[in-house]
Amino acid sequence: MPLSPRWILLFLCIPGSLFLGNQLANESEPREGSKTTPTPGVGIDTSSNEVGILQKQVQGLQEQVSLLEEENARLLKESQGEDSEVPLPDATATPPPRAGIESEVARALELLDYQGLTSPRIEFTNELGFRKEVRTILAPTGTARWEKRATVWSTLGLIPAETDLLACFEDMILETLPVVASKQDSLLTIAGAPVNIGQVVPPLSALHLGLAPVWTSPATGLEDDVWLARIALRLGEGARARVIDMMERPAPAADSDGMGGNEEALKFFRAPASVRDLFSQLGNRGLAAVQRKIADKAWHTLRDNINSHSLPTAAILHPAAPPAGWKIPPPLGPVQGIEPFWNEPLGELLTQLLLKQYVPERVAAEAATGWNGDLVTCYPSPNGHTQLRWETRWKSTKDAEQFFKALRTFQSNKFGVPIDQDTITEEKTSGSYTLTNQGRSLQIRYTSDRTGVILADASDETSLRQLLPTNHP
């Protein structure tokens, strides 16, 4: 049987690769008698005879591979008969479905006892088709809100600037939960993708309870923090089913994580660590909240919680003692004549994930405890720098002080400005921390009752003063 052209290309390219490696090694060392030092980052001189020879060799190899491909096709045609057409691979063909997904669905129906829900139709698609379906769920009316959300997150320091947040969410869903409930009361999955019961349960629950798909973008008036709390509960239900199933059925040796997911770990590298951490926290915290409901015999309230328009992530993080809540004040007016484009809470979960980007995880978790509400307001700026005001409320003055110090350390580490004695003195005398760096004017201050902390990040001192009114409680 003739060799595949790809293998032939590999064998033929090895000498060329070794030759190129030798040339690179020679270029990296100074030549005898040379008076110049090699410049870092500069490649091989394209005028050199060696490169010209190498280019001719590569061109010759390409021509040989082309001839070998034609010869390989001719031999295949002869082996199948004179008039036979050589079968070419279909680049758009969908691989056959993974055997066993039907059994995972049947197992989920048996385990959760969804009365009245029969086994749904299972539809298969390729990765591109699944990504398109996910995008219609995440951004049914366009990408504008996702772009604003990414701007807010990057200005705070949760994600790097220029991050395509919508694409990152798509990647993570493809990697961790490659099953969605479609509009035709069926399940849609990627053909060939490993699927386990923990991934099947959330979309099955959506069909059973008549809910929208798990990742459905927040409707008008639904805050992101409530949206994430809903997702956590639904992923937690799947994680709980996964735990029970693993106790009753031995898991495959290759599948070792609690939620399951695509066995090709870290298949997508676009999502930053904070987004990956968010997905992990949603599943883990959701599982703890669902387990608490089971222990409290309050399982019947799960649907009400999922449909709630006011359940924050703080209630997921602390199901036994949710925050009392803080009455959010009226939004600020224009700053230098510019209206805000964002005005809603960040939430305790994202507050904790944010702090973790520049302070130790233990400090971040402790500083976020005691959260009692917050409000993020963002404004565009003529110079391209987003201006931001983040007001947080805490259950006690001690909680507020703990958060103030963590946020001060966060900004110090983020901008590389050390905290000196003057900084500590400023905090004690005026209850504030001021930082000017990279064309930004930033200040952290307590509210007058010391139970709140406000962060203002502006492009100039005039805007900073407007973001920090002096008569604030």
Side-chain angles (χ1 to χ4, degrees):
M1 183 175 178
L3 285 173
S4 165
R6 292 183 180 180
W7 284 104
I8 296 172
L9 177 62
L10 175 63
F11 294 139
L12 291 175
C13 285
I14 290 175
S17 300
L18 294 175
F19 178 82
L20 177 60
N22 290 333
Q23 297 307 312
L24 291 172
N26 293 335
E27 288 291 332
S28 64
E29 297 183 7
R31 296 176 182 175
E32 185 176 357
S34 175
K35 297 182 180 180
T36 60
T37 302
T39 303
V42 177
I44 302 174
D45 183 3
T46 55
S47 64
S48 65
N49 293 332
E50 292 90 348
V51 170
I53 295 172
L54 183 58
Q55 289 175 338
K56 290 181 180 179
Q57 288 186 352
V58 171
Q59 184 179 0
L61 288 172
Q62 291 173 338
E63 293 174 356
Q64 291 181 46
V65 169
S66 178
L67 292 173
L68 287 168
E69 287 178 335
E70 293 177 6
E71 178 66 12
N72 196 31
R74 185 186 66 79
L75 293 173
L76 282 172
K77 186 173 182 179
E78 289 179 356
S79 67
Q80 295 176 355
E82 186 66 26
D83 298 328
S84 300
E85 294 292 333
V86 178
L88 298 177
D90 183 1
T92 63
T94 299
R98 172 181 179 265
I101 183 174
E102 292 85 356
S103 65
E104 294 297 306
V105 171
R107 170 63 175 161
L109 293 174
E110 171 192 356
L111 185 65
L112 299 177
D113 190 23
Y114 284 150
Q115 297 180 3
L117 180 64
T118 59
S119 182
R121 184 174 69 257
I122 300 174
E123 299 178 357
F124 297 94
T125 184
N126 55 23
E127 188 173 293
L128 178 60
F130 188 83
R131 182 181 286 274
K132 288 181 177 179
E133 180 68 19
V134 169
R135 175 154 292 210
T136 62
I137 295 172
L138 289 172
T141 59
T143 62
R145 181 171 173 83
W146 279 95
E147 292 167 359
K148 293 177 181 178
R149 181 184 290 118
T151 299
V152 175
W153 288 19
S154 63
T155 302
L156 284 167
L158 183 59
I159 59 176
E162 308 301 329
T163 297
D164 187 342
L165 189 59
L166 174 56
C168 291
F169 266 66
E170 291 175 359
D171 289 348
M172 293 303 301
I173 293 171
L174 283 165
E175 184 178 311
T176 62
L177 199 72
V179 187
V180 294
S182 70
K183 299 175 183 177
Q184 294 77 27
D185 292 335
S186 60
L187 299 183
L188 179 68
T189 186
I190 301 173
V195 174
N196 61 52
I197 189 173
Q199 298 164 325
V200 166
V201 165
L204 273 181
S205 177
L207 295 180
H208 174 61
L209 298 176
L211 302 172
V214 174
W215 303 100
T216 300
S217 181
T220 302
L222 184 66
E223 298 166 350
D224 275 9
D225 191 42
V226 176
W227 175 53
L228 293 175
R230 288 182 173 189
I231 293 174
L233 288 174
R234 298 176 76 172
L235 296 184
E237 188 182 7
R240 173 178 173 270
R242 179 73 171 147
V243 170
I244 296 174
D245 185 63
M246 290 178 67
M247 293 173 64
E248 298 182 1
R249 293 193 304 175
D255 189 6
S256 59
D257 57 346
M259 183 62 188
N262 196 325
E263 273 72 7
E264 298 181 35
L266 302 181
K267 181 179 180 181
F268 302 101
F269 296 92
R270 178 164 39 187
S274 57
V275 175
R276 292 188 167 278
D277 194 9
L278 171 61
F279 272 66
S280 175
Q281 291 291 330
L282 288 174
N284 295 336
R285 300 291 191 166
L287 171 60
V290 169
Q291 294 282 46
R292 179 79 188 197
K293 283 189 170 294
I294 298 297
D296 293 343
K297 303 184 186 298
W299 179 253
H300 61 282
T301 64
L302 180 62
R303 181 172 184 174
D304 294 336
N305 290 151
I306 291 175
N307 286 327
S308 171
H309 279 67
S310 59
L311 187 76
T313 54
I316 305 297
L317 298 174
H318 314 287
W326 167 58
K327 186 177 180 180
I328 297 176
L332 294 176
V335 171
Q336 295 191 352
I338 301 175
E339 295 288 344
F341 67 84
W342 191 271
N343 193 64
E344 66 175 70
L346 186 68
E348 183 176 348
L349 176 60
L350 288 183
T351 296
Q352 186 179 132
L353 294 182
L354 170 65
L355 293 176
K356 284 172 61 176
Q357 305 312 304
Y358 290 97
V359 300
E361 183 172 355
R362 178 186 58 80
V363 175
E366 292 176 354
T369 302
W371 179 93
N372 202 36
D374 75 272
L375 182 65
V376 177
T377 306
C378 282
Y379 300 81
S381 175
N383 63 5
H385 171 65
T386 301
Q387 304 188 110
L388 176 144
R389 181 181 191 274
W390 181 26
E391 181 171 355
T392 62
R393 288 287 171 161
W394 302 89
K395 293 181 179 179
S396 68
T397 56
K398 182 179 179 181
D399 292 329
E401 181 181 0
Q402 194 170 29
F403 176 73
F404 182 102
K405 291 181 177 179
L407 187 59
R408 183 188 63 189
T409 303
F410 175 98
Q411 301 297 343
S412 172
N413 293 337
K414 178 182 177 182
F415 292 104
V417 178
I419 298 173
D420 53 20
Q421 186 58 44
D422 291 341
T423 301
I424 299 174
T425 302
E426 179 189 9
E427 178 189 344
K428 290 181 178 180
T429 57
S430 65
S432 64
Y433 165 71
T434 305
L435 186 152
T436 302
N437 188 271
Q438 300 176 11
R440 304 164 78 155
S441 297
L442 182 148
Q443 187 175 101
I444 307 170
R445 69 159 59 170
Y446 289 103
T447 56
S448 58
D449 61 3
R450 306 283 291 195
T451 62
V453 177
I454 303 174
L455 164 69
D457 184 353
S459 56
D460 55 76
E461 292 187 4
T462 301
S463 298
L464 184 67
R465 287 193 295 270
Q466 292 188 35
L467 290 173
L468 292 167
T470 57
N471 60 346
H472 197 281

